Amino acid sequence: MENKDCNLHIMPSPISDEDITALFNGILKVIRKKSELDSRAQMLNLNLDNERLIKALNAKQAECNRLKNEIIFLKSQLSEYKN
């Protein structure tokens, strides 16, 4: 017999149920982490929006108080003018 070069093809090992379970669990962990990060980001954005609204409300209240004081002042000037 002669020695000839030959190619040996090895079939990959079959994927086990444990491999599939590990892959699935890894994907679930990534999805959970992404969901957690998204909810944290959403919470931070809501807090920033809330702070912005509170600042706007305080500015409007200050403007209302200024206008109220100006009306009171003008009424007192009008009553002094009538007397």
Side-chain angles (χ1 to χ4, degrees):
M1 291 190 148
E2 294 180 20
N3 284 341
K4 292 185 177 180
D5 290 338
C6 61
N7 292 332
L8 182 62
H9 295 282
I10 300 174
M11 296 296 293
S13 62
I15 297 174
S16 68
D17 288 341
E18 291 83 21
D19 294 335
I20 293 172
T21 302
L23 179 62
F24 183 71
N25 288 337
I27 291 171
L28 282 179
K29 285 180 183 178
V30 168
I31 291 171
R32 283 186 189 129
K33 188 65 175 178
K34 169 110 173 70
S35 175
E36 180 184 336
L37 292 174
D38 287 347
S39 65
R40 283 184 186 175
Q42 187 178 20
M43 192 70 89
L44 288 173
N45 287 337
L46 288 174
N47 285 340
L48 290 175
D49 289 344
N50 192 28
E51 289 174 10
R52 223 175 287 132
L53 286 172
I54 289 172
K55 285 180 183 178
L57 176 63
N58 288 338
K60 295 295 180 189
Q61 284 176 336
E63 180 69 12
C64 287
N65 287 337
R66 187 190 67 75
L67 290 172
K68 192 182 342 177
N69 288 337
E70 190 168 335
I71 289 170
I72 291 169
F73 174 73
L74 291 173
K75 279 184 176 180
S76 68
Q77 277 191 337
L78 184 62
S79 67
E80 285 179 12
Y81 179 74
K82 286 183 180 178
N83 292 335

Coordinates of all heavy atoms in Angstrom, one line a residue:
M1 N 0.8 -1.2 0.0 CA 0.0 0.0 0.0 C 0.9 1.2 0.0 O 1.9 1.3 0.6 CB -0.9 0.0 1.2 CG -1.9 -1.0 1.3 SD -2.9 -0.5 2.7 CE -4.4 -1.0 2.1
E2 N 0.4 2.2 -0.7 CA 1.1 3.5 -0.7 C 0.5 4.5 0.3 O -0.7 4.5 0.5 CB 0.9 4.1 -2.2 CG 1.6 3.2 -3.2 CD 1.4 3.9 -4.6 OE1 1.2 5.1 -4.6 OE2 1.6 3.2 -5.5
N3 N 1.3 5.3 0.8 CA 0.9 6.4 1.6 C 0.4 7.6 0.8 O 1.2 8.1 0.0 CB 2.0 6.9 2.6 CG 2.2 5.9 3.7 OD1 1.3 5.1 4.0 ND2 3.3 6.0 4.4
K4 N -0.8 8.0 0.9 CA -1.3 9.1 0.1 C -1.7 10.2 1.1 O -2.2 9.9 2.2 CB -2.5 8.7 -0.8 CG -2.1 7.8 -1.9 CD -3.3 7.6 -2.7 CE -2.9 6.7 -3.9 NZ -4.1 6.4 -4.8
D5 N -1.6 11.4 0.7 CA -2.1 12.5 1.5 C -3.6 12.5 1.4 O -4.2 12.4 0.3 CB -1.5 13.9 1.0 CG -0.1 14.0 1.3 OD1 0.4 13.3 2.3 OD2 0.6 14.8 0.7
C6 N -4.3 12.7 2.5 CA -5.7 12.7 2.4 C -6.2 13.8 3.4 O -5.5 14.1 4.4 CB -6.4 11.4 2.7 SG -6.0 10.8 4.4
N7 N -7.3 14.4 3.1 CA -8.0 15.4 3.9 C -8.9 14.7 4.9 O -9.7 13.9 4.4 CB -8.7 16.4 3.1 CG -7.8 17.3 2.3 OD1 -6.6 17.5 2.7 ND2 -8.2 17.8 1.1
L8 N -8.8 15.1 6.1 CA -9.7 14.5 7.1 C -10.7 15.6 7.5 O -10.3 16.7 7.9 CB -8.9 14.1 8.3 CG -9.6 13.4 9.4 CD1 -10.3 12.1 8.9 CD2 -8.7 13.1 10.6
H9 N -12.0 15.4 7.3 CA -13.0 16.3 7.6 C -13.6 15.9 9.0 O -14.1 14.8 9.1 CB -14.1 16.4 6.6 CG -13.6 16.9 5.3 ND1 -13.4 18.3 5.0 CD2 -13.2 16.3 4.1 CE1 -12.9 18.5 3.8 NE2 -12.8 17.3 3.2
I10 N -13.6 16.8 9.9 CA -14.2 16.5 11.2 C -15.5 17.3 11.3 O -15.6 18.5 11.1 CB -13.3 17.0 12.3 CG1 -11.9 16.2 12.2 CG2 -13.9 16.7 13.7 CD1 -10.9 16.7 13.2
M11 N -16.6 16.6 11.6 CA -17.9 17.2 11.8 C -17.9 17.9 13.1 O -17.4 17.4 14.1 CB -19.0 16.1 11.8 CG -19.1 15.4 10.5 SD -19.6 16.5 9.2 CE -21.3 16.9 9.7
P12 N -18.5 19.1 13.2 CA -18.6 19.9 14.4 C -19.4 19.1 15.4 O -20.4 18.4 15.0 CB -19.2 21.2 14.1 CG -19.9 21.0 12.8 CD -19.1 19.9 12.1
S13 N -19.1 19.3 16.7 CA -19.9 18.6 17.7 C -21.3 19.1 17.7 O -21.5 20.3 17.4 CB -19.3 18.7 19.1 OG -19.2 20.1 19.4
P14 N -22.3 18.3 17.9 CA -23.7 18.8 17.9 C -23.9 19.8 19.1 O -23.2 19.7 20.1 CB -24.5 17.5 18.1 CG -23.6 16.5 18.7 CD -22.2 16.9 18.2
I15 N -24.8 20.7 18.8 CA -25.1 21.7 19.9 C -26.0 21.0 20.9 O -27.0 20.5 20.6 CB -25.8 22.9 19.3 CG1 -24.8 23.6 18.3 CG2 -26.2 23.9 20.3 CD1 -25.5 24.7 17.5
S16 N -25.6 21.1 22.1 CA -26.3 20.5 23.2 C -27.4 21.4 23.7 O -27.4 22.6 23.5 CB -25.4 20.1 24.3 OG -24.9 21.3 25.0
D17 N -28.3 20.8 24.4 CA -29.4 21.6 25.1 C -28.8 22.6 26.1 O -29.4 23.7 26.2 CB -30.4 20.6 25.8 CG -31.3 19.9 24.8 OD1 -31.4 20.3 23.6 OD2 -31.8 18.8 25.2
E18 N -27.8 22.2 26.7 CA -27.1 23.1 27.7 C -26.6 24.4 26.9 O -26.7 25.5 27.5 CB -26.0 22.4 28.5 CG -26.5 21.4 29.4 CD -26.7 20.0 28.8 OE1 -26.2 19.8 27.7 OE2 -27.5 19.2 29.3
D19 N -26.0 24.2 25.8 CA -25.5 25.3 25.0 C -26.6 26.2 24.6 O -26.5 27.4 24.7 CB -24.8 24.8 23.7 CG -23.5 24.0 24.0 OD1 -22.9 24.2 25.0 OD2 -23.2 23.2 23.1
I20 N -27.7 25.7 24.1 CA -28.9 26.5 23.7 C -29.4 27.2 25.0 O -29.7 28.4 24.9 CB -30.0 25.6 23.1 CG1 -29.4 25.1 21.8 CG2 -31.3 26.4 22.9 CD1 -30.3 24.0 21.1
T21 N -29.5 26.5 26.1 CA -30.0 27.2 27.3 C -29.1 28.3 27.7 O -29.6 29.4 28.1 CB -30.1 26.1 28.4 OG1 -31.0 25.1 28.0 CG2 -30.7 26.8 29.7
A22 N -27.8 28.1 27.7 CA -26.8 29.1 28.1 C -26.9 30.3 27.1 O -26.9 31.5 27.6 CB -25.4 28.6 28.1
L23 N -27.1 30.1 25.9 CA -27.2 31.2 24.9 C -28.5 32.0 25.1 O -28.5 33.2 25.2 CB -27.2 30.6 23.5 CG -27.4 31.6 22.3 CD1 -26.2 32.6 22.3 CD2 -27.5 30.9 21.0
F24 N -29.6 31.2 25.4 CA -30.9 31.9 25.6 C -30.8 32.7 26.9 O -31.3 33.8 26.9 CB -32.0 30.8 25.7 CG -33.4 31.3 25.9 CD1 -34.0 32.0 24.9 CD2 -34.0 31.2 27.2 CE1 -35.3 32.5 25.1 CE2 -35.3 31.7 27.3 CZ -35.9 32.4 26.3
N25 N -30.2 32.1 28.0 CA -30.1 32.9 29.2 C -29.2 34.1 29.0 O -29.5 35.2 29.6 CB -29.6 32.0 30.3 CG -30.6 31.0 30.8 OD1 -31.8 31.2 30.7 ND2 -30.1 29.9 31.4
G26 N -28.2 34.0 28.2 CA -27.4 35.2 28.0 C -28.1 36.3 27.3 O -28.0 37.5 27.6
I27 N -28.9 35.9 26.3 CA -29.8 36.9 25.5 C -30.8 37.5 26.5 O -31.0 38.7 26.4 CB -30.5 36.2 24.4 CG1 -29.4 35.8 23.3 CG2 -31.5 37.1 23.8 CD1 -29.9 35.0 22.2
L28 N -31.4 36.7 27.4 CA -32.3 37.3 28.3 C -31.7 38.3 29.3 O -32.3 39.3 29.6 CB -33.0 36.2 29.2 CG -34.1 35.4 28.5 CD1 -34.6 34.3 29.4 CD2 -35.2 36.3 28.1
K29 N -30.4 38.0 29.7 CA -29.7 38.9 30.6 C -29.5 40.3 29.9 O -29.6 41.3 30.5 CB -28.4 38.3 31.1 CG -28.6 37.3 32.1 CD -27.3 36.7 32.6 CE -27.4 35.6 33.6 NZ -26.2 35.0 34.0
V30 N -29.1 40.2 28.6 CA -28.8 41.4 27.8 C -30.1 42.2 27.7 O -30.1 43.4 27.9 CB -28.2 41.0 26.4 CG1 -28.2 42.2 25.5 CG2 -26.8 40.5 26.6
I31 N -31.2 41.5 27.4 CA -32.5 42.2 27.2 C -32.9 42.9 28.5 O -33.4 44.0 28.6 CB -33.6 41.3 26.7 CG1 -33.2 40.9 25.2 CG2 -35.0 41.9 26.8 CD1 -34.1 39.8 24.7
R32 N -32.8 42.1 29.6 CA -33.2 42.7 31.0 C -32.3 43.9 31.3 O -32.9 44.9 31.8 CB -33.0 41.6 32.0 CG -34.1 40.6 32.1 CD -33.9 39.7 33.3 NE -34.8 38.6 33.2 CZ -34.5 37.3 33.3 NH1 -33.2 37.0 33.5 NH2 -35.4 36.3 33.1
K33 N -31.0 43.8 31.0 CA -30.1 45.0 31.3 C -30.5 46.2 30.5 O -30.5 47.3 31.0 CB -28.7 44.6 31.1 CG -27.7 45.6 31.5 CD -27.7 45.7 33.0 CE -26.6 46.7 33.5 NZ -26.7 46.9 34.9
K34 N -30.8 45.9 29.2 CA -31.2 47.0 28.3 C -32.5 47.7 28.8 O -32.6 48.9 28.8 CB -31.3 46.5 26.9 CG -32.0 47.5 25.9 CD -31.0 48.0 24.9 CE -31.7 48.8 23.8 NZ -32.1 50.1 24.2
S35 N -33.4 46.8 29.2 CA -34.7 47.4 29.7 C -34.5 48.2 30.9 O -35.1 49.2 31.1 CB -35.6 46.2 29.9 OG -36.8 46.6 30.5
E36 N -33.6 47.7 31.8 CA -33.3 48.4 33.1 C -32.7 49.8 32.8 O -33.1 50.8 33.3 CB -32.4 47.6 33.9 CG -32.0 48.2 35.2 CD -31.0 47.3 36.0 OE1 -31.0 46.1 35.8 OE2 -30.3 47.9 36.8
L37 N -31.7 49.8 31.9 CA -31.1 51.0 31.5 C -32.0 52.0 30.8 O -32.0 53.2 31.1 CB -29.9 50.8 30.6 CG -28.7 50.0 31.2 CD1 -27.6 49.7 30.2 CD2 -28.1 50.8 32.4
D38 N -32.9 51.5 30.0 CA -33.9 52.3 29.3 C -34.9 52.9 30.4 O -35.2 54.1 30.3 CB -34.7 51.6 28.3 CG -33.9 51.3 27.0 OD1 -32.8 51.9 26.9 OD2 -34.3 50.4 26.2
S39 N -35.3 52.1 31.3 CA -36.2 52.7 32.3 C -35.5 53.7 33.2 O -36.1 54.7 33.6 CB -36.8 51.5 33.2 OG -35.8 50.9 33.9
R40 N -34.2 53.5 33.5 CA -33.5 54.5 34.3 C -33.4 55.8 33.5 O -33.5 56.9 34.1 CB -32.1 54.0 34.7 CG -32.1 53.0 35.8 CD -30.7 52.6 36.1 NE -30.6 51.5 37.1 CZ -29.5 50.9 37.5 NH1 -28.4 51.3 37.0 NH2 -29.6 50.0 38.4
A41 N -33.0 55.7 32.2 CA -32.9 56.9 31.4 C -34.3 57.6 31.3 O -34.3 58.8 31.4 CB -32.4 56.5 30.0
Q42 N -35.3 56.9 31.2 CA -36.7 57.5 31.1 C -37.0 58.2 32.5 O -37.5 59.3 32.5 CB -37.7 56.4 30.8 CG -39.1 57.0 30.6 CD -40.1 55.9 30.3 OE1 -39.9 54.7 30.5 NE2 -41.2 56.3 29.6
M43 N -36.6 57.6 33.6 CA -36.8 58.2 34.9 C -36.1 59.5 35.0 O -36.6 60.5 35.5 CB -36.5 57.2 36.0 CG -36.9 57.6 37.4 SD -38.7 57.5 37.5 CE -38.9 55.8 38.0
L44 N -34.8 59.5 34.6 CA -34.0 60.7 34.7 C -34.6 61.8 33.8 O -34.6 62.9 34.2 CB -32.5 60.4 34.2 CG -31.7 59.5 35.2 CD1 -30.4 59.2 34.5 CD2 -31.5 60.3 36.5
N45 N -35.0 61.4 32.6 CA -35.7 62.4 31.7 C -36.9 63.0 32.4 O -37.2 64.2 32.3 CB -36.0 61.8 30.4 CG -34.7 61.6 29.5 OD1 -33.7 62.3 29.8 ND2 -34.8 60.7 28.6
L46 N -37.7 62.1 33.0 CA -38.9 62.6 33.7 C -38.6 63.6 34.8 O -39.3 64.6 35.0 CB -39.8 61.4 34.2 CG -40.5 60.6 33.2 CD1 -41.1 59.4 33.8 CD2 -41.5 61.4 32.4
N47 N -37.5 63.2 35.6 CA -37.1 64.1 36.7 C -36.7 65.5 36.1 O -37.0 66.5 36.7 CB -36.0 63.5 37.5 CG -36.5 62.4 38.4 OD1 -37.7 62.3 38.7 ND2 -35.6 61.5 38.8
L48 N -35.9 65.5 35.0 CA -35.5 66.7 34.4 C -36.7 67.5 33.9 O -36.7 68.8 34.1 CB -34.5 66.5 33.3 CG -33.1 65.9 33.7 CD1 -32.3 65.6 32.5 CD2 -32.4 66.9 34.6
D49 N -37.6 66.9 33.3 CA -38.8 67.6 32.8 C -39.6 68.1 33.9 O -40.1 69.3 33.9 CB -39.7 66.6 32.0 CG -39.1 66.2 30.6 OD1 -38.2 66.9 30.2 OD2 -39.6 65.2 30.0
N50 N -39.7 67.4 35.0 CA -40.4 67.8 36.2 C -39.7 69.1 36.8 O -40.4 70.0 37.2 CB -40.5 66.7 37.3 CG -41.4 67.0 38.4 OD1 -42.4 67.7 38.2 ND2 -41.2 66.4 39.5
E51 N -38.4 69.1 36.9 CA -37.7 70.2 37.4 C -37.9 71.4 36.5 O -38.1 72.6 37.0 CB -36.2 69.9 37.5 CG -35.9 68.9 38.6 CD -34.4 68.5 38.7 OE1 -33.6 69.1 37.9 OE2 -34.1 67.6 39.4
R52 N -37.9 71.2 35.2 CA -38.1 72.3 34.3 C -39.5 72.9 34.4 O -39.7 74.1 34.4 CB -37.9 71.8 32.8 CG -37.2 72.7 32.0 CD -36.9 72.2 30.6 NE -35.8 71.1 30.6 CZ -35.9 69.9 30.1 NH1 -37.0 69.6 29.4 NH2 -35.0 69.1 30.2
L53 N -40.5 72.0 34.6 CA -41.9 72.5 34.8 C -42.0 73.3 36.1 O -42.7 74.3 36.2 CB -42.8 71.3 34.8 CG -43.1 70.7 33.5 CD1 -43.9 69.4 33.6 CD2 -43.8 71.7 32.5
I54 N -41.3 72.8 37.2 CA -41.4 73.5 38.5 C -40.8 74.9 38.3 O -41.3 75.9 38.9 CB -40.7 72.7 39.6 CG1 -41.6 71.5 39.9 CG2 -40.5 73.5 40.8 CD1 -41.0 70.5 40.8
K55 N -39.6 75.0 37.6 CA -39.0 76.3 37.4 C -39.9 77.2 36.6 O -40.1 78.4 37.0 CB -37.7 76.2 36.7 CG -36.6 75.6 37.6 CD -35.3 75.5 36.8 CE -34.2 74.8 37.7 NZ -32.9 74.6 36.9
A56 N -40.6 76.7 35.6 CA -41.5 77.5 34.8 C -42.7 78.0 35.7 O -43.1 79.1 35.6 CB -42.0 76.8 33.6
L57 N -43.2 77.1 36.5 CA -44.3 77.4 37.4 C -43.9 78.5 38.4 O -44.7 79.4 38.6 CB -44.8 76.2 38.1 CG -45.9 76.4 39.1 CD1 -47.2 76.9 38.4 CD2 -46.2 75.1 39.9
N58 N -42.8 78.4 39.0 CA -42.3 79.4 39.9 C -42.1 80.7 39.2 O -42.5 81.8 39.8 CB -41.0 79.0 40.5 CG -41.2 77.8 41.5 OD1 -42.3 77.6 42.0 ND2 -40.1 77.1 41.8
A59 N -41.6 80.7 38.0 CA -41.5 82.0 37.2 C -42.9 82.6 37.0 O -43.0 83.8 37.1 CB -40.7 81.7 35.9
K60 N -43.8 81.8 36.6 CA -45.2 82.3 36.3 C -45.8 82.8 37.6 O -46.5 83.9 37.6 CB -46.1 81.2 35.7 CG -45.6 80.7 34.3 CD -45.7 81.8 33.3 CE -45.2 81.3 32.0 NZ -45.1 82.4 31.0
Q61 N -45.6 82.1 38.7 CA -46.2 82.6 40.0 C -45.6 83.9 40.4 O -46.3 84.8 40.8 CB -45.9 81.6 41.1 CG -46.9 80.4 41.0 CD -46.5 79.3 42.1 OE1 -45.4 79.3 42.6 NE2 -47.6 78.5 42.4
A62 N -44.3 84.1 40.2 CA -43.6 85.4 40.5 C -44.1 86.5 39.6 O -44.4 87.6 40.1 CB -42.1 85.2 40.3
E63 N -44.4 86.2 38.3 CA -45.0 87.2 37.4 C -46.4 87.6 37.8 O -46.8 88.7 37.8 CB -45.0 86.6 36.0 CG -45.5 87.5 34.9 CD -44.7 88.8 34.7 OE1 -43.5 88.8 35.1 OE2 -45.2 89.7 34.0
C64 N -47.2 86.6 38.2 CA -48.5 86.8 38.7 C -48.5 87.7 40.0 O -49.3 88.7 40.1 CB -49.3 85.5 39.0 SG -49.8 84.6 37.6
N65 N -47.6 87.4 40.9 CA -47.5 88.2 42.1 C -47.0 89.7 41.8 O -47.6 90.6 42.4 CB -46.5 87.6 43.1 CG -47.0 86.4 43.8 OD1 -48.2 86.2 43.9 ND2 -46.1 85.5 44.2
R66 N -46.1 89.8 40.8 CA -45.7 91.1 40.4 C -46.9 91.9 39.8 O -47.1 93.1 40.1 CB -44.6 91.0 39.4 CG -43.9 92.4 39.1 CD -43.0 92.3 37.9 NE -43.6 91.9 36.6 CZ -44.4 92.8 35.9 NH1 -44.5 94.0 36.3 NH2 -44.9 92.4 34.8
L67 N -47.6 91.3 39.0 CA -48.8 91.9 38.3 C -49.9 92.3 39.4 O -50.5 93.4 39.3 CB -49.4 91.1 37.2 CG -48.5 90.9 36.0 CD1 -49.1 89.9 35.1 CD2 -48.4 92.2 35.3
K68 N -50.1 91.4 40.3 CA -51.1 91.6 41.4 C -50.6 92.9 42.2 O -51.5 93.8 42.5 CB -51.2 90.4 42.3 CG -52.4 90.5 43.2 CD -52.5 89.3 44.2 CE -51.7 88.1 43.8 NZ -51.8 87.0 44.8
N69 N -49.3 92.9 42.5 CA -48.8 94.1 43.3 C -48.9 95.4 42.5 O -49.3 96.4 43.0 CB -47.4 93.8 43.7 CG -47.3 92.8 44.8 OD1 -48.2 92.5 45.6 ND2 -46.1 92.2 44.9
E70 N -48.7 95.3 41.2 CA -48.8 96.5 40.4 C -50.3 96.9 40.3 O -50.6 98.1 40.3 CB -48.3 96.2 39.0 CG -48.2 97.4 38.1 CD -47.4 97.2 36.9 OE1 -46.5 96.3 36.8 OE2 -47.6 98.0 35.9
I71 N -51.2 96.0 40.2 CA -52.7 96.4 40.2 C -53.0 97.0 41.5 O -53.7 98.1 41.5 CB -53.5 95.1 39.9 CG1 -53.4 94.6 38.5 CG2 -55.0 95.4 40.3 CD1 -54.0 93.3 38.2
I72 N -52.6 96.5 42.6 CA -52.9 97.1 43.9 C -52.3 98.5 44.0 O -52.9 99.4 44.5 CB -52.3 96.2 45.1 CG1 -53.1 94.9 45.2 CG2 -52.4 96.9 46.4 CD1 -52.5 93.8 46.1
F73 N -51.1 98.6 43.5 CA -50.4 100.0 43.5 C -51.2 100.9 42.7 O -51.5 102.1 43.1 CB -49.0 99.8 43.0 CG -48.3 101.1 42.9 CD1 -47.9 101.9 44.0 CD2 -48.0 101.6 41.6 CE1 -47.2 103.1 43.8 CE2 -47.4 102.9 41.4 CZ -47.0 103.6 42.5
L74 N -51.6 100.5 41.5 CA -52.3 101.4 40.6 C -53.7 101.7 41.2 O -54.2 102.9 41.0 CB -52.5 100.8 39.2 CG -51.2 100.6 38.4 CD1 -51.4 99.8 37.1 CD2 -50.6 102.0 38.1
K75 N -54.4 100.8 41.8 CA -55.7 101.1 42.5 C -55.5 102.1 43.6 O -56.3 103.0 43.7 CB -56.3 99.8 43.1 CG -57.0 99.0 42.1 CD -57.6 97.8 42.8 CE -58.4 96.9 41.8 NZ -59.1 95.8 42.5
S76 N -54.4 102.0 44.3 CA -54.2 103.0 45.4 C -53.9 104.3 44.8 O -54.3 105.4 45.3 CB -53.0 102.5 46.3 OG -51.8 102.6 45.7
Q77 N -53.1 104.4 43.7 CA -52.8 105.7 43.1 C -54.2 106.3 42.5 O -54.4 107.5 42.6 CB -51.8 105.5 41.9 CG -50.4 105.5 42.4 CD -49.5 105.6 41.2 OE1 -49.8 105.3 40.1 NE2 -48.2 106.0 41.5
L78 N -55.0 105.5 42.0 CA -56.3 105.9 41.4 C -57.2 106.5 42.5 O -57.8 107.5 42.4 CB -57.0 104.8 40.7 CG -58.3 105.1 40.0 CD1 -58.1 106.2 38.9 CD2 -58.9 103.9 39.4
S79 N -57.2 105.8 43.7 CA -58.0 106.3 44.8 C -57.4 107.6 45.4 O -58.2 108.5 45.8 CB -58.2 105.2 45.9 OG -56.9 105.0 46.5
E80 N -56.1 107.7 45.4 CA -55.5 109.0 45.9 C -55.8 110.1 44.9 O -56.1 111.2 45.3 CB -54.0 108.8 46.0 CG -53.6 108.0 47.2 CD -52.1 107.9 47.3 OE1 -51.3 108.6 46.5 OE2 -51.6 107.0 48.1
Y81 N -55.8 109.8 43.6 CA -56.1 110.8 42.6 C -57.6 111.3 42.7 O -57.8 112.4 42.4 CB -55.8 110.2 41.2 CG -56.1 111.1 40.0 CD1 -55.2 112.1 39.7 CD2 -57.2 110.9 39.2 CE1 -55.5 113.0 38.7 CE2 -57.5 111.7 38.2 CZ -56.6 112.8 37.9 OH -56.9 113.6 36.9
K82 N -58.5 110.4 43.0 CA -59.9 110.7 43.1 C -60.1 111.6 44.3 O -61.0 112.5 44.3 CB -60.8 109.5 43.2 CG -60.9 108.8 41.9 CD -61.9 107.6 42.0 CE -62.0 106.9 40.7 NZ -62.9 105.7 40.8
N83 N -59.3 111.4 45.4 CA -59.5 112.2 46.6 C -58.8 113.5 46.4 O -58.7 114.5 46.3 CB -58.9 111.5 47.8 CG -59.7 110.3 48.1 OD1 -60.9 110.2 47.8 ND2 -59.1 109.3 48.8

